[in-house]
Amino acid sequence: MTGVLDHIQEPSISMDDFDIELDEMELVAVAAGYHYYNSLMKQPARSLSPKGSFFMAELLSGPDDLWREMYRMDKHVFHKLSDIFRQRDMLRDTPGVVIEEQLAIFLNIVGHNERNRVIQERYQHSGETISRHFNNVLKAIKSLSCEFLQPPSLATPTEIRKSNRLYPYFEDCIGVIDGMHIPAHVPAKDQSRFRNRRGVLSQNVLVACTLDYQFIFVYPGWEGSAADSRVLKAVLSDPDQNFPKVPEGKYYLVDLGYDNMDGFMAPYEGVRYHLDEYRGANLLPRNAKELFNHRHASVSNAIRRSCNVLKERFPILKLAPQYAFHTQRDIVIAACVIHNHIRREEENDWLFHSNEVPVDESPDLDEQPDLQSPFSVPEQMASTRRDTIAATMWNDFMNKWDEW
């Protein structure tokens, strides 16, 4: 793996360059500074732009957890991503800023929702330079979306196959779909459309993920007032969105905001669903529909956890950034691409691995489906399939009672 040091030439500094009239104390101070500078430049870790960013150099040679906190990923994962950009010529070193520093600037902004002025001071570049590199990196990461957001495997997910509670009932599940609301900054004329049910301006982002927390599909930009089911129907009816075709017999799990239909299995309406509703005195399910809903929620929790990890890693998604709306949409896509990259390169990533990442069990913004039209034949078939799964699950539960 080629280091940044390979791309720059270490400056030549000698004590002859300094004014010989400096007094003894000044010479000591200069010598100390010279020694400190050389000790940083000779670190085996990668270095920086020709100007030199002492801030990033210290992080490169410092503790891993400090680097992780600043750039939201482990060092080797960071270097793998910057290598992709260099090897594919997606980004280029400039006379002032090498690719690694360009990526670091981007990650600092999205990982801490930092203002341009703060990044200027931190990396000692102009506001125009910071903005230009931010947009270049954003474009480069977005261009990786087709590669990193892939259709799911058709094999039964390991998380289901290894669970007696879930297998064989959900053996044909290939992923989970839900809407994720991201705070949005929009002009006054658009605010009524983007105000969601909680009164917050947001974009409704359709996301699909696998059970091991990788995003399959991301569709940002819908106004916060749009119902989840409406967004999904729009995606399915528009071939240009390239939603991966659901193979025959397979399906995604969806929540109460969606219709139960072929390829998309929803929980039963009017029946307790969220995991926190099955705690305390109401621990055990009382019938087949409740048991089905509880296990459906257990599997569907993968998307809530994925979205929580995404927002925890990139706090810019928790606030409405002051960017043009198309940039706000692209930031969501870029965040999901980086999320998948980290998941693939570091299974023990601290955010994925941590049990402290909060999982929101409260009802989502949109869990009231649109007014239903009379069932079509495919919808009736989907309803029958769900009933069959629920009945089998309940029968096994009543006969075994070993695990629910």
Side-chain angles (χ1 to χ4, degrees):
M1 188 178 292
T2 304
V4 179
L5 284 174
D6 297 332
H7 301 281
I8 62 175
Q9 183 174 355
E10 181 176 327
S12 176
I13 300 177
S14 72
M15 296 302 294
D16 293 338
D17 295 326
F18 300 107
D19 192 330
I20 60 174
E21 295 182 358
L22 292 174
D23 62 30
E24 183 177 356
M25 292 302 294
E26 288 175 322
L27 283 171
V28 170
V30 169
Y34 170 73
H35 178 270
Y36 176 72
Y37 175 81
N38 274 340
S39 69
L40 287 177
M41 294 301 293
K42 292 178 180 178
Q43 291 291 338
R46 305 181 180 217
S47 191
L48 317 164
S49 65
K51 283 185 178 180
S53 169
F54 286 107
F55 172 77
M56 192 174 173
E58 288 178 333
L59 288 175
L60 276 166
S61 60
D64 291 343
D65 57 348
L66 189 59
W67 173 276
R68 199 179 295 127
E69 170 60 27
M70 184 58 64
Y71 297 119
R72 317 308 290 156
M73 63 181 71
D74 287 302
K75 291 179 184 178
H76 73 94
V77 180
F78 174 92
H79 291 317
K80 180 67 177 291
L81 187 56
S82 60
D83 284 344
I84 290 174
F85 295 142
R86 175 169 283 110
Q87 291 164 5
R88 301 185 187 182
D89 203 26
M90 300 170 72
L91 293 172
R92 295 185 179 182
D93 297 328
T94 69
V97 191
V98 294
I99 290 173
E100 284 74 7
E101 193 171 349
Q102 296 170 31
L103 178 57
I105 287 170
F106 177 85
L107 293 174
N108 248 195
I109 293 174
V110 299
H112 299 274
N113 197 32
E114 296 282 24
R115 300 286 185 177
N116 186 295
R117 186 175 298 276
V118 174
I119 303 300
Q120 289 179 49
E121 178 65 25
R122 184 169 293 161
Y123 292 91
Q124 294 297 296
H125 298 301
S126 69
E128 185 278 330
T129 298
I130 297 297
S131 180
R132 172 161 41 85
H133 288 306
F134 174 86
N135 286 297
N136 287 343
V137 174
L138 177 61
K139 181 179 178 181
I141 296 174
K142 184 185 175 185
S143 70
L144 293 172
S145 60
C146 290
E147 176 180 342
F148 281 83
L149 303 176
Q150 286 286 319
S153 168
L154 300 187
T156 300
T158 302
E159 295 78 8
I160 290 176
R161 185 164 37 82
K162 290 186 176 181
S163 171
N164 292 332
R165 298 170 59 252
L166 306 176
Y167 185 83
Y169 319 111
F170 295 113
E171 62 182 328
D172 291 320
C173 170
I174 56 174
V176 189
I177 288 177
D178 202 359
M180 174 175 63
H181 282 258
I182 302 295
H185 176 72
V186 295
K189 63 182 179 64
D190 297 324
Q191 290 185 359
S192 60
R193 293 187 298 111
F194 281 84
R195 198 171 300 281
N196 61 38
R197 292 188 178 186
R198 292 179 182 169
V200 177
L201 296 176
S202 69
Q203 54 170 313
N204 189 355
V205 182
L206 178 72
V207 287
C209 79
T210 62
L211 301 191
D212 67 341
Y213 313 129
Q214 291 196 51
F215 289 106
I216 299 166
F217 181 83
V218 182
Y219 183 35
W222 273 80
E223 57 269 24
S225 61
D228 288 347
S229 56
R230 175 187 166 202
V231 178
L232 178 59
K233 289 175 182 176
V235 168
L236 297 177
S237 63
D238 184 359
D240 291 339
Q241 298 304 325
N242 296 316
F243 184 85
K245 181 180 173 69
V246 184
E248 186 176 354
K250 301 293 183 178
Y251 57 82
Y252 290 93
L253 295 185
V254 295
D255 69 16
L256 292 168
Y258 301 89
D259 298 332
N260 185 66
M261 57 185 181
D262 186 35
F264 304 90
M265 186 172 291
Y268 287 99
E269 292 180 54
V271 178
R272 56 180 174 151
Y273 174 63
H274 293 281
L275 296 180
D276 60 356
E277 297 178 275
Y278 290 85
R279 292 173 182 158
N282 297 318
L283 182 63
L284 291 174
R286 295 165 294 190
N287 53 52
K289 290 183 177 181
E290 286 195 353
L291 180 63
F292 176 88
N293 274 14
H294 179 270
R295 292 186 178 175
H296 184 292
S298 297
V299 181
S300 298
N301 203 40
I303 199 160
R304 290 190 178 90
R305 187 171 182 83
S306 297
C307 292
N308 281 332
V309 169
L310 186 75
K311 293 177 181 180
E312 186 75 10
R313 192 181 306 278
F314 302 115
I316 197 170
L317 301 179
K318 297 180 179 180
L319 301 168
Q322 305 291 308
Y323 295 107
F325 190 66
H326 69 86
T327 300
Q328 296 176 56
R329 293 196 309 263
D330 289 350
I331 288 173
V332 176
I333 296 172
C336 292
V337 169
I338 297 174
H339 171 105
N340 280 11
H341 170 68
I342 295 170
R343 185 61 174 163
R344 296 176 188 182
E345 297 297 326
E346 182 51 74
E347 291 185 358
N348 293 320
D349 171 81
W350 88 105
L351 281 179
F352 285 115
H353 191 63
S354 173
N355 292 321
E356 297 178 0
V357 176
V359 176
D360 184 8
E361 293 293 355
S362 61
D364 293 336
L365 285 168
D366 179 25
E367 287 202 349
Q368 298 300 319
D370 290 344
L371 293 177
Q372 299 290 321
S373 57
F375 282 148
S376 64
V377 172
E379 287 171 330
Q380 290 175 345
M381 293 175 62
S383 180
T384 299
R385 183 180 191 184
R386 181 177 63 181
D387 290 342
T388 300
I389 293 174
T392 303
M393 190 183 294
W394 179 253
N395 182 63
D396 291 344
F397 173 65
M398 293 300 292
N399 287 325
K400 294 179 181 178
W401 280 91
D402 57 343
E403 187 177 16
W404 72 275

